[in-house]
Protein backbone atom coordinates (compact mmCIF):
# COMPACT_ATOMS: atom_id res chain seq x y z
CA UNK A 1 0.00 0.00 0.00
CA UNK A 2 2.86 2.35 0.77
CA UNK A 3 4.23 2.04 -2.81
CA UNK A 4 0.79 2.80 -4.22
CA UNK A 5 0.53 6.03 -2.21
CA UNK A 6 3.99 7.13 -3.33
CA UNK A 7 3.17 6.43 -6.96
CA UNK A 8 -0.08 8.36 -6.66
CA UNK A 9 1.66 11.28 -4.93
CA UNK A 10 4.45 11.23 -7.49
CA UNK A 11 1.91 11.20 -10.34
CA UNK A 12 0.04 14.16 -8.82
CA UNK A 13 3.33 16.00 -8.49
CA UNK A 14 4.23 15.24 -12.12
CA UNK A 15 0.78 16.37 -13.26
CA UNK A 16 1.17 19.68 -11.40
CA UNK A 17 4.62 20.17 -12.94
CA UNK A 18 3.19 19.49 -16.40
CA UNK A 19 0.34 21.96 -15.76
CA UNK A 20 2.76 24.69 -14.64
CA UNK A 21 5.10 23.92 -17.55
CA UNK A 22 2.28 24.06 -20.12
CA UNK A 23 1.04 27.39 -18.77
CA UNK A 24 4.58 28.74 -18.77
CA UNK A 25 4.93 27.71 -22.44
CA UNK A 26 1.63 29.40 -23.26
CA UNK A 27 2.84 32.57 -21.57
CA UNK A 28 6.24 32.36 -23.32
CA UNK A 29 4.45 32.59 -26.66
CA UNK A 30 3.25 36.05 -25.65
CA UNK A 31 6.02 37.53 -23.52
CA UNK A 32 9.66 37.09 -22.51
CA UNK A 33 10.45 34.83 -19.56
CA UNK A 34 11.58 37.75 -17.35
CA UNK A 35 8.26 39.51 -17.93
CA UNK A 36 6.19 36.58 -16.66
CA UNK A 37 5.16 37.19 -13.08
CA UNK A 38 5.10 34.36 -10.59
CA UNK A 39 1.64 35.50 -9.49
CA UNK A 40 0.22 35.32 -13.03
CA UNK A 41 1.91 31.97 -13.68
CA UNK A 42 0.52 30.47 -10.47
CA UNK A 43 -2.97 31.84 -11.03
CA UNK A 44 -3.18 30.53 -14.58
CA UNK A 45 -1.69 27.15 -13.59
CA UNK A 46 -4.04 26.80 -10.62
CA UNK A 47 -1.27 26.48 -8.03
CA UNK A 48 -0.38 28.64 -5.06
CA UNK A 49 2.67 30.85 -4.83
CA UNK A 50 3.64 28.68 -1.85
CA UNK A 51 3.63 25.64 -4.12
CA UNK A 52 5.81 27.49 -6.61
CA UNK A 53 8.41 28.66 -4.08
CA UNK A 54 8.44 25.30 -2.33
CA UNK A 55 9.13 23.44 -5.60
CA UNK A 56 11.07 25.83 -7.85
CA UNK A 57 13.96 28.23 -7.52
CA UNK A 58 13.20 29.91 -10.85
CA UNK A 59 10.95 29.78 -13.89
CA UNK A 60 13.85 28.20 -15.77
CA UNK A 61 13.79 25.32 -13.28
CA UNK A 62 10.25 24.47 -14.40
CA UNK A 63 11.54 24.06 -17.94
CA UNK A 64 14.66 22.17 -16.79
CA UNK A 65 12.58 19.69 -14.81
CA UNK A 66 10.17 19.03 -17.67
CA UNK A 67 13.09 18.62 -20.10
CA UNK A 68 14.73 16.22 -17.63
CA UNK A 69 11.56 14.12 -17.64
CA UNK A 70 11.66 14.12 -21.43
CA UNK A 71 15.35 13.16 -21.31
CA UNK A 72 14.54 10.24 -19.02
CA UNK A 73 11.72 9.22 -21.37
CA UNK A 74 14.19 9.31 -24.27
CA UNK A 75 16.68 7.12 -22.42
CA UNK A 76 14.03 4.61 -21.34
CA UNK A 77 12.58 4.43 -24.83
CA UNK A 78 15.97 4.12 -26.51
CA UNK A 79 17.29 1.53 -24.09
CA UNK A 80 14.34 -0.83 -24.56
CA UNK A 81 15.83 -1.78 -27.91
CA UNK A 82 19.19 -3.02 -29.06
CA UNK A 83 21.29 0.08 -28.74
CA UNK A 84 23.45 1.44 -31.51
CA UNK A 85 24.33 5.00 -32.44
CA UNK A 86 21.92 5.20 -35.39
CA UNK A 87 19.03 4.00 -33.24
CA UNK A 88 19.93 6.42 -30.41
CA UNK A 89 20.05 9.41 -32.78
CA UNK A 90 16.91 8.30 -34.62
CA UNK A 91 15.00 8.01 -31.33
CA UNK A 92 16.25 11.49 -30.38
CA UNK A 93 14.84 12.94 -33.60
CA UNK A 94 11.55 11.05 -33.18
CA UNK A 95 11.02 12.55 -29.74
CA UNK A 96 12.22 15.97 -30.87
CA UNK A 97 9.76 15.90 -33.77
CA UNK A 98 6.95 14.92 -31.42
CA UNK A 99 7.89 17.83 -29.12
CA UNK A 100 8.45 20.26 -31.99
CA UNK A 101 6.01 22.87 -30.64
CA UNK A 102 7.79 22.95 -27.28
CA UNK A 103 11.14 23.40 -29.03
CA UNK A 104 9.76 26.20 -31.22
CA UNK A 105 8.43 28.06 -28.19
CA UNK A 106 11.72 27.70 -26.32
CA UNK A 107 13.69 28.77 -29.40
CA UNK A 108 11.38 31.75 -29.91
CA UNK A 109 11.85 32.72 -26.27
CA UNK A 110 15.68 32.51 -26.54
CA UNK A 111 15.77 29.58 -24.12
CA UNK A 112 17.76 27.21 -26.38
CA UNK A 113 20.47 26.99 -23.73
CA UNK A 114 18.07 24.89 -21.66
CA UNK A 115 17.80 22.40 -24.54
CA UNK A 116 21.61 22.27 -24.72
CA UNK A 117 21.90 21.78 -20.98
CA UNK A 118 19.37 18.96 -20.94
CA UNK A 119 20.86 17.03 -23.84
CA UNK A 120 24.36 17.51 -22.48
CA UNK A 121 23.21 15.61 -19.37
CA UNK A 122 21.70 12.85 -21.54
CA UNK A 123 24.89 12.61 -23.61
CA UNK A 124 26.98 12.36 -20.43
CA UNK A 125 24.81 9.43 -19.36
CA UNK A 126 25.09 7.71 -22.75
CA UNK A 127 28.87 8.05 -22.84
CA UNK A 128 29.32 7.13 -19.18
CA UNK A 129 27.38 3.92 -19.72
CA UNK A 130 29.19 3.29 -23.02
CA UNK A 131 25.94 3.38 -24.99
CA UNK A 132 27.47 5.71 -27.57
CA UNK A 133 30.54 4.23 -29.16
CA UNK A 134 33.09 7.04 -29.10
CA UNK A 135 35.47 5.34 -31.62
CA UNK A 136 38.81 7.12 -31.87
CA UNK A 137 37.69 10.23 -29.96
CA UNK A 138 38.40 8.94 -26.46
CA UNK A 139 41.41 11.22 -26.17
CA UNK A 140 39.50 14.46 -26.82
CA UNK A 141 38.08 15.55 -23.44
CA UNK A 142 35.36 17.77 -24.95
CA UNK A 143 33.95 15.19 -27.37
CA UNK A 144 30.76 14.63 -25.34
CA UNK A 145 29.97 18.33 -25.22
CA UNK A 146 30.69 18.73 -28.92
CA UNK A 147 28.36 15.86 -29.82
CA UNK A 148 25.60 17.20 -27.54
CA UNK A 149 25.93 20.75 -28.89
CA UNK A 150 26.08 19.63 -32.49
CA UNK A 151 23.06 17.38 -32.10
CA UNK A 152 20.93 20.09 -30.49
CA UNK A 153 22.02 22.63 -33.15
CA UNK A 154 21.11 20.20 -35.93
CA UNK A 155 17.76 19.50 -34.23
CA UNK A 156 17.04 23.24 -33.92
CA UNK A 157 17.70 23.84 -37.60
CA UNK A 158 15.73 20.71 -38.55
CA UNK A 159 12.76 21.92 -36.50
CA UNK A 160 12.95 25.44 -37.93
CA UNK A 161 12.96 23.87 -41.39
CA UNK A 162 9.77 21.94 -40.66
CA UNK A 163 11.23 18.47 -39.89
CA UNK A 164 11.21 17.61 -43.60
CA UNK A 165 13.60 14.67 -43.31
CA UNK A 166 12.54 11.56 -41.44
CA UNK A 167 14.10 10.89 -38.01
CA UNK A 168 15.74 7.67 -39.29
CA UNK A 169 17.41 9.62 -42.08
CA UNK A 170 18.66 12.24 -39.61
CA UNK A 171 20.02 9.57 -37.27
CA UNK A 172 21.89 7.75 -40.02
CA UNK A 173 23.29 10.93 -41.54
CA UNK A 174 24.67 12.11 -38.21
CA UNK A 175 26.27 8.77 -37.40
CA UNK A 176 27.82 8.60 -40.87
CA UNK A 177 29.13 12.14 -40.49
CA UNK A 178 30.57 11.50 -37.03
CA UNK A 179 32.25 8.31 -38.25
CA UNK A 180 33.96 10.25 -41.01
CA UNK A 181 35.70 12.49 -38.49
Amino acid sequence: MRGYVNVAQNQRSLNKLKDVFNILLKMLKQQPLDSISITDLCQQAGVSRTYYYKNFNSKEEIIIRELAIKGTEYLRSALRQDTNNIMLFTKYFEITKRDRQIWLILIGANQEYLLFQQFSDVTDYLFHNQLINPTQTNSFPYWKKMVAGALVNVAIEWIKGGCVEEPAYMGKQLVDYLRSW
Side-chain angles (χ1 to χ4, degrees):
M1 188 70 165
R2 179 177 158 87
Y4 174 76
V5 172
N6 287 340
V7 168
Q9 287 174 335
N10 191 26
Q11 190 57 50
R12 274 195 307 270
S13 188
L14 288 174
N15 289 342
K16 266 190 179 181
L17 169 61
K18 188 163 286 308
D19 290 345
V20 173
F21 175 74
N22 287 333
I23 293 299
L24 181 58
L25 284 180
K26 181 179 168 189
M27 295 175 87
L28 275 174
K29 287 183 196 178
Q30 301 164 357
Q31 59 188 316
L33 188 63
D34 342 1
S35 299
I36 297 172
S37 79
I38 303 302
T39 300
D40 288 343
L41 175 62
C42 291
Q43 284 175 347
Q44 289 188 37
V47 298
S48 68
R49 286 175 54 92
T50 303
Y51 167 83
Y52 174 87
Y53 286 111
K54 182 179 174 188
N55 290 282
F56 308 109
N57 294 316
S58 66
K59 292 171 274 191
E60 289 88 347
E61 189 175 341
I62 297 165
I63 299 167
I64 290 167
R65 285 208 199 152
E66 184 63 25
L67 292 177
I69 290 168
K70 291 181 180 305
T72 301
E73 174 190 336
Y74 161 72
L75 289 170
R76 285 183 180 151
S77 175
L79 300 178
R80 281 189 205 123
Q81 307 166 20
D82 286 335
T83 305
N84 64 55
N85 291 352
I86 293 173
M87 188 279 308
L88 287 171
F89 288 149
T90 297
K91 184 58 71 177
Y92 173 77
F93 282 100
E94 287 171 356
I95 290 174
T96 300
K97 185 176 184 177
R98 183 201 66 204
D99 292 339
R100 180 174 183 254
Q101 291 306 312
I102 294 169
W103 279 63
L104 286 170
I105 293 167
L106 294 176
I107 292 164
N110 297 316
Q111 299 300 308
E112 298 100 324
Y113 75 96
L114 297 172
L115 297 167
F116 285 101
Q117 178 182 330
Q118 187 272 331
F119 198 71
S120 181
D121 293 344
V122 168
T123 306
D124 285 344
Y125 177 88
L126 292 170
F127 273 96
H128 178 76
N129 290 288
Q130 299 178 346
L131 297 168
I132 289 181
N133 301 322
T135 63
Q136 72 274 19
T137 58
N138 287 332
S139 62
F140 184 56
Y142 307 106
W143 176 248
K144 292 184 285 189
K145 298 303 178 195
M146 187 196 76
V147 169
L151 191 58
V152 172
N153 269 317
V154 168
I156 287 171
E157 293 306 313
W158 181 63
I159 285 171
K160 286 179 178 178
C163 302
V164 175
E165 300 86 359
E166 288 299 315
Y169 173 83
M170 296 299 292
K172 182 169 181 346
Q173 290 301 308
L174 281 170
V175 168
D176 288 348
Y177 184 74
L178 289 172
R179 281 185 188 142
S180 72
W181 271 23

